[in-house]
Amino acid sequence: WTGATGEFEITKSTKVLYSADLADVAAQLACDYKKMTGTTLQTLAGKPSNGDIALCIKRNKELNDEGYTINIDNKVEIASNTSRGAMWATRTLLQIAELNAETLPKGNIVDWPDYAMRTFMLDCGRYFYTVDEVKRIVDLMAFHKLNALHWHLTEDQGWRIEIKKYPMLTKIGSKREQTTTGRNEGMDGIPYGGYYTQKEIKDI
């Protein structure tokens, strides 16, 4: 991070502009910014003028495929080698905006991950999470630039994935009569279960 004097103000007229292949990243940024602030930012293909946020693919040999640069001055310019790098850049922008949603400090950021695999492990075999809860976890992973979800769906405590050829896996295997308490101190006597349909898993 290299700081500069002044701030960039995000207003209702601020647009998110993008180059080829970055429409989805721009739309995600606008969507998440609206969730954070309630302000809708228009997304358009094109080059920025003052007051806008711009995403572009620009080869930089000093960065890996997930690296990016952010230049915040009279406009915000994000450059990366790939769309994934652009996505991580927008997460950084949102992290900065979380401190003060309407203004960003002027300066330059050059960033890339040291590790290619940044994983979160979600164990739904033992404890079932709803679809909305899993989606929320994925959103939080992305916000913190984790890039791989290890989703544990099957084991003796519960089979959580629908296999249409073998319906008994979920009819019987998705449930257990009770759960151990503490460090195997006893059983709670409470039936517990749940599973995801194939449609739900594809949606997630």
Side-chain angles (χ1 to χ4, degrees):
W1 165 260
T2 304
T5 302
E7 294 178 328
F8 173 83
E9 185 177 1
I10 301 176
T11 69
K12 292 181 179 179
S13 62
T14 298
K15 297 182 290 296
V16 180
L17 295 114
Y18 55 87
S19 62
D21 301 325
L22 294 181
D24 289 346
V25 178
Q28 189 67 54
L29 173 60
C31 176
D32 292 337
Y33 187 77
K34 184 174 182 179
K35 287 180 184 177
M36 181 184 291
T37 67
T39 299
T40 299
L41 301 178
Q42 185 181 10
T43 62
L44 296 168
K47 296 181 179 180
S49 57
N50 287 344
D52 293 333
I53 299 169
L55 312 174
C56 73
I57 299 293
K58 186 177 181 181
R59 296 301 301 178
N60 184 335
K61 294 181 180 179
E62 296 181 1
L63 300 177
N64 61 26
D65 284 347
E66 292 188 277
Y68 57 88
T69 63
I70 303 176
N71 179 45
I72 305 173
D73 195 5
N74 295 324
K75 53 182 174 289
V76 178
E77 295 179 287
I78 293 172
S80 59
N81 292 333
T82 67
S83 59
R84 179 169 287 192
M87 176 60 77
W88 298 141
T90 64
R91 302 306 92 182
T92 294
L93 209 63
L94 290 169
Q95 288 171 349
I96 297 170
E98 193 174 41
L99 300 175
N100 188 343
E102 296 178 353
T103 59
L104 305 173
K106 291 184 178 180
N108 296 284
I109 296 172
V110 180
D111 189 29
W112 64 88
D114 285 331
Y115 301 100
M117 185 69 74
R118 303 179 302 282
T119 304
F120 182 86
M121 191 265 197
L122 178 62
D123 184 353
C124 293
R126 291 172 178 83
Y127 299 101
F128 184 75
Y129 289 77
T130 67
V131 169
D132 286 342
E133 288 170 335
V134 175
K135 286 182 176 182
R136 176 59 177 157
I137 288 168
V138 172
D139 283 344
L140 289 169
M141 285 177 59
F143 187 75
H144 294 287
K145 306 186 185 80
L146 302 180
N147 65 356
L149 172 65
H150 176 181
W151 196 8
H152 190 50
L153 292 168
T154 64
E155 61 144 85
D156 65 332
Q157 296 298 309
W159 185 283
R160 307 297 183 205
I161 177 172
E162 177 188 39
I163 307 297
K164 293 180 179 179
K165 188 176 180 180
Y166 302 109
M168 299 301 280
L169 286 171
T170 48
K171 186 175 182 179
I172 295 176
S174 68
K175 306 179 183 73
R176 61 175 181 261
E177 293 182 357
Q178 52 191 348
T179 303
T180 57
T181 59
R183 295 180 63 85
N184 297 321
E185 296 168 0
M187 306 297 285
D188 62 11
I190 301 171
Y192 188 87
Y195 70 92
Y196 306 99
T197 66
Q198 291 187 12
K199 183 178 180 180
E200 288 172 331
I201 287 179
K202 287 176 182 178
D203 180 47
I204 291 169

